[in-house]
């Protein structure tokens, strides 16, 4: 759950207290610092416009600044709301802890402050109780989306319908932000697990269209593909056709991400047709996306190696450029090549049957010639590797 906090604004640390900072000298208020940080993080997460090192430095600097403001700054409700946003986004809870300990009038609903503090300190039951009576629609929009998102995370295990409703409200309240991205990503997968597949189709297409450049699109694509496989889309022609149409409308990057994820999930359950489907949808230009094209060729070849297209698949495997693969894909290639080698040495099924008949034994796995057993073991290694990757 706490990983979700970092996906909202990626606030990851607070530096020790230091002398007065430039922000105060130039008259900036806490709400202005948090607003700038939100915009900065929205661009970084949704458009991939900032390097991680640059983000970390900016985050640490703002975090340090927020700890330096004196009591007078926190008499402004805008600053208190900013502190709530900051803490709900994974920031240092000391700011809210000091505010609640001061006993002063905060100018906003104190349940927001107490709930945010409890959540940041992992007192989830107390946080849920504090947030329960708050109408997120009545809150200032700068904080309403954050509260709706956190409330959803607090109830998602016990009340999926309520969590889905809160995620829906979070994304409506905070359009075009990392809050909307996080809420839509989570709602889409939650709706699939609830079996609402038509809505899952609509929300997943919306996510991939709106947030195809997000740094989280890869995470979403894997979860999306897992639901496609789990709900057996390959067995439903109408649903597969809808998926085909939706993916083909996407820009290259989200279409390729989703297609590769589907192919990898499909090969883990030995669904050759779904792997082929993903390859057709991806339509990867190898000149523009050489690594992605190589990965897809690997998945397709690995799926085909145990079919009648063995020769074609074997040639494809041997032609793959290892330099364009990650460590997991290279291990998969090695395992698939082992399968190809063993199968190429194995006698035909007719030969195996003849040997078994001559020995008056059934031609089953227990009586298979050693080279056949070796091939079976190699295939099992591929299956294991793919399942590990899927997890």
């Amino acid at each position: 759950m706490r990983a979700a906090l970092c996906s909202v604004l990626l606030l990851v640390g607070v530096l020790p207290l230091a002398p007065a900072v430039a922000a105060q000298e130039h008259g900036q208020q806490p709400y202005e610092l948090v607003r700038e940080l939100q915009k900065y993080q929205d661009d970084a997460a949704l458009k991939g416009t900032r390097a991680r090192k640059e983000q970390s430095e900016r985050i640490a600097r703002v975090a340090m600044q927020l700890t330096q403001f004196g009591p007078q700054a926190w008499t402004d409700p805008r600053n208190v709301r900013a502190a709530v946003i900051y803490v709900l986004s994974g920031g240092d809870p000391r700011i809210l802890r000091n505010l609640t300990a001061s006993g002063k009038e905060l100018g906003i609903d104190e349940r927001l402050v107490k709930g945010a503090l409890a959540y940041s300190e992992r007192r989830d039951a107390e946080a849920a109780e504090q947030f329960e009576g708050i109408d997120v629609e009545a809150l200032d929009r700068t904080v309403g989306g954050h509260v709706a998102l956190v409330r959803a995370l607090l109830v998602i295990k016990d009340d999926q319908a309520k969590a889905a409703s809160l995620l829906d409200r979070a994304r409506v309240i905070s359009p075009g932000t990392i809050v909307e991205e996080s809420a839509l990503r989570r709602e889409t997968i939650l709706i699939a697990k609830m079996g609402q597949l038509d809505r899952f189709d609509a929300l997943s297409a919306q996510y991939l269209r709106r947030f195809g450049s997000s740094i989280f699109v890869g995470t979403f694509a894997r979860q999306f593909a897992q639901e496609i496989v789990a709900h057996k889309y390959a067995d439903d022609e109408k649903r597969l056709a809808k998926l085909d149409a939706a993916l083909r409308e996407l820009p290259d990057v989200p279409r390729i991400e989703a297609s590769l994820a589907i192919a990898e999930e499909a090969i883990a359950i030995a669904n050759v047709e779904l792997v082929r489907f993903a390859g057709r949808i991806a339509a990867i230009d190898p000149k523009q996306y050489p690594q992605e094209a190589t990965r897809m060729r690997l998945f397709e070849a690995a799926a085909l190696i145990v079919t009648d297209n063995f020769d074609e698949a074997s040639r494809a495997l041997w032609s793959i450029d290892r330099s364009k693969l990650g460590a997991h894909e290279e291990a998969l290639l090695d395992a698939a090549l082992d399968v190809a080698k063993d199968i190429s040495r194995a006698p035909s099924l007719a030969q195996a049957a003849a040997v078994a008949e001559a020995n008056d034994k059934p031609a089953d796995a227990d009586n298979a010639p050693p080279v056949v057993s070796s091939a079976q073991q190699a295939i099992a290694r591929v299956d294991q590797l793919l399942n590990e990757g899927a997890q």
Side-chain angles (χ1 to χ4, degrees):
M1 181 182 292
R2 277 354 187 241
L5 293 173
C6 294
S7 73
V8 178
L9 290 179
L10 306 180
L11 298 171
V12 293
V14 178
L15 295 180
L17 298 181
V21 294
Q24 294 180 61
E25 294 174 0
H26 291 88
Q28 276 190 300
Q29 291 295 308
Y31 78 88
E32 294 173 309
L33 290 172
V34 172
R35 184 172 60 197
E36 288 179 359
L37 185 58
Q38 284 181 289
K39 178 62 169 64
Y40 182 91
Q41 292 292 67
D42 286 344
D43 289 344
L46 305 183
K47 302 176 184 178
T49 58
R50 300 289 188 274
R52 289 191 179 274
K53 181 180 179 181
E54 183 182 350
Q55 291 182 55
S56 298
E57 292 172 352
R58 176 72 172 265
I59 292 163
R61 184 166 66 252
V62 172
M64 180 180 65
Q65 291 170 339
L66 288 176
T67 64
Q68 298 303 301
F69 286 94
Q72 184 61 33
W74 304 110
T75 61
D76 187 335
R78 294 174 298 179
N79 290 337
V80 181
R81 280 196 297 269
V84 169
I85 292 170
Y86 167 74
V87 173
L88 285 180
S89 303
D92 189 340
R94 284 181 299 171
I95 295 173
L96 293 187
R97 195 179 298 127
N98 292 339
L99 288 177
T100 56
S102 70
K104 295 181 179 180
E105 180 67 36
L106 299 177
I108 68 170
D109 191 331
E110 289 191 5
R111 292 176 299 177
L112 282 176
V113 178
K114 293 178 179 179
L117 180 59
Y119 185 68
S120 69
E121 294 178 342
R122 299 178 180 271
R123 292 180 279 117
D124 290 352
E126 182 181 343
E129 182 180 354
Q130 292 290 341
F131 286 139
E132 179 60 33
I134 296 176
D135 180 3
V136 295
E137 302 287 354
L139 294 174
D140 188 281
R141 297 184 71 84
T142 59
V143 71
H146 290 78
V147 174
L149 176 60
V150 168
R151 284 187 62 190
L153 297 175
L154 287 169
V155 302
I156 198 167
K157 290 183 179 179
D158 300 321
D159 193 337
Q160 291 185 329
K162 184 175 182 179
S165 177
L166 286 165
L167 290 170
D168 197 54
R169 300 317 305 155
R171 62 191 185 88
V172 170
I173 293 171
S174 303
T177 69
I178 193 62
V179 173
E180 183 197 5
E181 186 279 338
S182 181
L184 180 56
R185 172 161 43 92
R186 295 170 187 282
E187 183 183 359
T188 301
I189 303 305
L190 177 59
I191 287 296
K193 294 185 183 304
M194 294 170 66
Q196 300 177 23
L197 297 186
D198 288 339
R199 185 155 172 73
F200 168 67
D201 292 341
L203 291 179
S204 57
Q206 182 179 348
Y207 180 89
L208 290 167
R209 283 196 306 270
R210 287 181 55 74
F211 299 112
S213 298
S214 166
I215 61 174
F216 304 112
V217 70
T219 298
F220 175 81
R222 287 191 296 274
Q223 295 173 322
F224 166 75
Q226 288 167 2
E227 297 303 326
I228 293 295
V229 169
H231 291 285
K232 300 181 179 180
Y233 270 51
D235 298 336
D236 188 328
E237 291 185 5
K238 291 184 179 180
R239 201 164 291 286
L240 198 63
K242 286 178 61 177
L243 177 63
D244 183 310
L247 292 179
R248 288 186 188 276
E249 291 179 357
L250 297 174
D252 284 353
V253 172
R255 188 190 70 252
I256 291 171
E257 284 275 6
S259 299
L260 283 168
I262 291 172
E264 189 164 4
E265 289 296 323
I267 196 175
I269 61 168
N271 192 319
V272 176
E273 289 307 313
L274 191 54
V275 176
R276 285 173 160 169
F277 166 84
R280 291 194 300 271
I281 295 298
I284 305 173
D285 181 350
K287 293 182 179 179
Q288 189 173 2
Y289 304 102
Q291 290 181 313
E292 290 80 0
T294 301
R295 288 181 61 204
M296 183 60 80
R297 189 162 67 252
L298 168 61
F299 295 149
E300 291 180 298
L304 294 174
I305 199 69
V306 290
T307 71
D308 291 341
N309 299 101
F310 167 79
D311 290 336
E312 173 191 348
S314 181
R315 287 193 297 270
L317 287 173
W318 284 107
S319 69
I320 288 175
D321 182 354
R322 289 176 176 271
S323 67
K324 294 182 173 64
L325 298 176
H328 174 73
E329 286 82 10
E330 190 169 4
L332 172 59
L333 174 59
D334 287 335
L337 286 171
D338 284 344
V339 173
K341 291 175 185 176
D342 288 339
I343 290 177
S344 67
R345 293 197 301 267
S348 67
L349 291 177
Q351 291 173 323
V355 170
E357 184 178 355
N359 293 326
D360 292 326
K361 294 180 181 179
D364 57 20
D366 293 334
N367 297 316
V371 70
V372 175
S373 297
S374 178
Q376 292 169 337
Q377 292 168 8
I379 293 171
R381 290 200 300 274
V382 175
D383 290 340
Q384 181 182 6
L385 187 61
L386 287 167
N387 286 324
E388 289 173 353
Q391 295 170 0

